[in-house]
Amino acid sequence: YEIPLRLVGSEMCIRDRIIIPMSISGKESIGSMGIDTPLAVLSKKPQLLYNYFKQLFAQVTNPPLDGIREEIITDTSLSIGKNHNIFEVTEEHCLNLNINNPIISNEDLDKIKYIKHKNFKSNSINCLYKSKMGHNGIEEALDNIVSKIEKYIDNGTNIIILSDRNVSKKMSPIPILLACSYVHQTMINKKKRSKFGIIIESAEPREPHHFSMLFGFGASAINPYLVNEIIDYHHDLGFIKNISKEKAISNFNKATAKGILKVMNKIGISTLNSYRGSQIFEALGLKTNFINKYFKNTPTRIEGVGLYVIEKEISQRIKYAFNSPE
């Protein structure tokens, strides 16, 4: 996992502060109140796109929802597939895959990717662009992705997997949040969004905030394959003891689901089905035209960077990851 891991951050930070504790305890890492890290738009280091967004919350004196004491009304399960008219009661509404925890393992993703059932058809799409083309390459690649998805949907596909695997020096990863949101928004405009579910297969997400954003912008399930590989690797090294690899991965997925629930509760939403596609976020330091094109209806009160700078930050991580002499 070493090359893609360097694309997303410090190994020590990811291993010791986030992934290993969550995989052992099954609980989200907890820090002190407040945040003292620099804003992404002001940082000198390349940032993930998630860091340019902040979570909205219900600004009331009483907690909008207590996910622990009111657990009976909370739910993190999601269904994947084609949705039908909610005002018509038909048996077709039942033709969906129901996932109790939409943070899925590599094995679970394979079950969906290679599913053989007359009511389900899945296709995987690479979310990569040619490095040498810069931000123009991202724009072109996103348009190609949407065109491919539209053709798949017209041919009966109802599960789309957006994947950033197969990264190389020549092919860089499109920020998976950008790809997910653009596909979601574009298909809404084309009135075809209800015909398919989006599954994310990505090395990027590792914190509850990352997963929450992907669900908030249209994803139905997420496979953080790099996290799975990190847990597998460190289990072999002996950092994770007394539990199996499968249990460690399951613990991380459960801890992440609990973290997502906390984010939902801050705005008063109790079910992930209601939270999906809700866009309960605001941008901080992103250009208005960038937001209007890729994250429509998301508030951005402070101007900042656009696709050009975001691509430059991706390029920096690629050069560092692959030890490019340039």
Side-chain angles (χ1 to χ4, degrees), residues 27 31 54 134 146 167 191 257 267:
K27 297 179 180 179
K54 299 293 181 183
V146 169
V167 175
K191 298 183 178 181
I267 200 69

Side-chain angles (χ1 to χ4, degrees), residues 10-277:
S10 163
E11 177 181 354
M12 188 63 67
C13 170
I14 296 173
R15 186 191 70 193
D16 293 346
R17 192 166 58 83
I18 301 173
I19 294 178
I20 300 303
M22 291 172 70
S23 63
I24 293 174
S25 66
K27 297 179 180 179
E28 182 190 5
S29 300
I30 298 176
S32 61
M33 294 289 287
I35 181 170
D36 59 358
T37 53
L39 296 175
V41 70
L42 301 177
S43 176
K44 294 181 179 179
K45 296 183 178 181
Q47 297 288 325
L48 294 179
L49 186 57
Y50 310 96
N51 298 339
Y52 289 93
F53 292 85
K54 299 293 181 183
Q55 303 164 4
L56 296 177
F57 59 95
Q59 299 187 44
V60 293
T61 54
N62 60 306
L65 182 64
D66 188 327
I68 298 175
R69 293 171 180 80
E70 299 177 273
E71 185 178 5
I72 192 172
I73 64 166
T74 62
D75 180 37
T76 55
S77 66
L78 280 178
S79 57
I80 303 176
K82 183 178 180 179
N83 296 319
H84 301 274
N85 189 346
I86 61 174
F87 297 108
E88 296 178 0
V89 180
T90 66
E91 61 183 16
E92 292 180 336
H93 286 284
C94 300
L95 301 178
N96 273 332
L97 290 177
N98 190 66
I99 302 179
N100 290 328
N101 184 353
I103 312 300
I104 59 177
S105 65
N106 294 351
E107 290 74 17
D108 290 334
L109 178 66
D110 286 339
K111 293 176 184 177
I112 298 173
K113 186 180 292 187
Y114 302 109
I115 191 170
K116 293 183 179 179
H117 193 282
K118 63 180 181 179
N119 294 317
F120 299 101
K121 183 179 180 182
S122 65
N123 282 103
S124 183
I125 294 180
N126 280 332
C127 295
L128 307 175
Y129 71 96
K130 294 179 181 179
S131 304
K132 63 180 181 181
M133 292 184 65
H135 70 282
N136 293 325
I138 295 181
E139 291 180 319
E140 182 179 311
L142 287 172
D143 290 335
N144 290 337
I145 288 170
V146 169
S147 297
K148 288 180 182 178
I149 290 175
E150 193 169 10
K151 291 178 182 177
Y152 285 142
I153 293 170
D154 292 341
N155 289 328
T157 295
N158 55 8
I159 299 175
I160 294 293
I161 300 169
L162 300 180
S163 176
D164 61 13
R165 283 187 180 271
N166 303 317
V167 175
S168 65
K169 285 185 178 181
K170 295 182 179 180
M171 300 299 295
S172 300
I174 299 172
I176 204 67
L177 176 63
L178 180 64
C180 179
S181 178
Y182 188 63
V183 168
H184 177 67
Q185 297 286 356
T186 304
M187 288 304 165
I188 288 176
N189 292 335
K190 291 178 179 289
K191 298 183 178 181
K192 296 183 177 182
R193 181 62 186 89
S194 63
K195 295 184 178 181
F196 70 102
I198 297 174
I199 296 180
I200 301 298
E201 180 185 18
S202 176
E204 280 188 1
R206 58 182 181 271
E207 301 174 12
H209 174 63
H210 302 168
F211 294 95
S212 298
M213 288 210 64
L214 288 168
F215 286 123
F217 284 97
S220 295
I222 302 170
N223 166 234
Y225 67 84
L226 184 57
V227 169
N228 285 213
E229 294 172 15
I230 291 172
I231 293 173
D232 192 355
Y233 179 80
H234 285 95
H235 189 281
D236 292 339
L237 290 180
F239 285 96
I240 303 174
K241 302 177 181 179
N242 303 322
I243 57 174
S244 65
K245 294 178 182 178
E246 293 75 17
K247 180 62 176 176
I249 292 172
S250 177
N251 282 345
F252 177 87
N253 294 346
K254 289 179 180 178
T256 301
K258 291 178 182 177
I260 295 169
L261 193 61
K262 290 180 183 178
V263 177
M264 290 161 45
N265 293 170
K266 286 168 60 178
I267 200 69
I269 296 175
S270 61
T271 66
L272 195 53
N273 259 315
S274 299
Y275 186 81
R276 177 177 53 186

